[in-house]
C-alpha cells in the first residue's frame, strides 16, 4: 500500500455507508469493532461505552510513559491536568484532583488489601498529626490526637505534655 493523494474524506474512506458495524479482523478472527453508533470495542463485539477493551488472556490496557522503564504514564480525565492517575519512576501511584479527591463506596485500605472499615490503616501514623490506634508511644515533639484501641482513651498534646486525657470509663482530666 502506497497511499493516495488528492482524496476527500467525504468520498474516500474505510468504513460502511449503511447502518452496519465496521469490523477489523486478523487471522480470520474479529479483534476490533466500531459500531454503527460510534462505540469502539477491542476484544469485544458488543462495546457498551465509547471505548470498551476486553481480554480474557492478557492485561487489557497498558500505558507506557516517556520516563525510564516506561514510567510517568498518566491517564488524564477531563480537559486538562486537573484530574489524573499517574505512575512515577519509583512505581508509586498518584491519584490527583486539583481541588478534591474522593473515593466513593466501600472501604478503603492503606497497607491492607482487606479493609474492614471506611478507612483502615492497620499500623503506623497518618502524617505528623496522627491517629494512633495500636500503642501508647508518641514520638518526641510530635503533636496530635491519639485514640488508642483496647484501652478506649482519647488524648491530645505532645509526647511530654498531654492536654486532655479521657479514658473509656469516663474518667479524665484537662490541663
Amino acid at each position: 500500500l502506497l497511499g493516495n493523494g488528492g482524496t476527500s474524506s467525504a468520498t474516500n474512506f474505510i468504513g460502511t455507508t449503511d447502518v452496519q458495524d465496521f469490523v477489523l479482523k486478523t487471522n480470520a478472527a474479529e479483534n476490533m469493532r466500531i459500531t454503527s453508533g460510534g462505540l469502539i470495542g477491542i476484544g469485544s463485539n458488543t462495546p457498551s461505552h465509547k471505548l470498551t477493551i476486553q481480554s480474557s488472556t492478557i492485561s487489557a490496557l497498558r500505558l507506557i510513559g516517556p520516563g525510564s522503564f516506561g514510567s510517568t504514564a498518566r491517564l488524564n480525565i477531563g480537559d486538562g491536568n486537573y484530574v489524573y492517575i499517574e505512575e512515577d519512576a519509583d512505581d508509586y501511584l498518584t491519584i490527583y484532583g486539583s481541588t478534591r479527591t474522593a473515593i466513593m463506596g466501600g472501604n478503603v485500605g492503606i497497607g491492607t488489601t482487606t479493609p474492614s472499615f471506611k478507612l483502615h490503616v492497620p499500623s503506623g501514623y497518618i502524617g505528623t498529626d496522627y491517629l494512633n490506634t495500636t500503642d501508647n508511644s508518641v514520638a518526641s515533639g510530635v503533636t496530635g490526637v491519639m485514640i488508642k484501641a483496647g484501652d478506649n482513651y482519647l488524648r491530645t498534646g505532645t509526647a511530654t505534655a498531654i492536654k486532655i486525657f479521657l479514658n473509656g470509663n469516663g474518667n479524665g482530666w484537662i490541663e
Side-chain angles (χ1 to χ4, degrees):
L1 296 171
L2 298 176
N4 49 342
T7 61
S8 167
S9 60
T11 57
N12 304 108
F13 59 90
I14 297 173
T16 63
T17 58
D18 53 5
V19 185
Q20 296 297 316
D21 293 353
F22 177 67
V23 176
L24 297 172
K25 293 183 177 187
T26 58
N27 200 24
E30 180 176 327
N31 285 295
M32 184 170 154
R33 173 180 296 256
I34 303 173
T35 68
S36 61
L39 303 179
I40 300 170
I42 299 173
S44 170
N45 60 6
T46 57
S48 58
H49 293 78
K50 281 292 189 182
L51 176 61
T52 300
I53 301 172
Q54 181 178 343
S55 175
S56 60
T57 59
I58 61 172
S59 298
L61 177 65
R62 173 174 282 171
L63 300 177
I64 299 175
S68 60
F69 303 105
S71 65
T72 66
R74 178 185 284 191
L75 176 62
N76 284 60
I77 302 161
D79 63 349
N81 287 322
Y82 307 112
V83 178
Y84 59 84
I85 300 171
E86 179 179 57
E87 181 258 347
D88 73 4
D90 294 325
D91 296 330
Y92 290 103
L93 178 67
T94 300
I95 301 172
Y96 178 81
S98 65
T99 57
R100 63 185 176 272
T101 302
I103 299 173
M104 306 301 291
N107 297 333
V108 175
I110 299 174
T112 177
T113 58
T114 56
S116 305
F117 311 101
K118 289 293 182 187
L119 176 59
H120 187 164
V121 183
S123 64
Y125 300 106
I126 302 172
T128 57
D129 297 325
Y130 63 91
L131 298 175
N132 181 344
T133 61
T134 57
D135 59 33
N136 191 24
S137 62
V138 180
S140 177
V142 174
T143 303
V145 175
M146 176 185 281
I147 301 171
K148 184 177 181 212
D151 292 339
N152 298 316
Y153 69 74
L154 164 70
R155 84 178 197 186
T156 66
T158 66
T160 56
I162 298 172
K163 301 297 181 189
I164 300 173
F165 180 87
L166 301 171
N167 67 19
N169 299 325
N171 300 321
W173 48 264
I174 299 174
E175 185 177 287

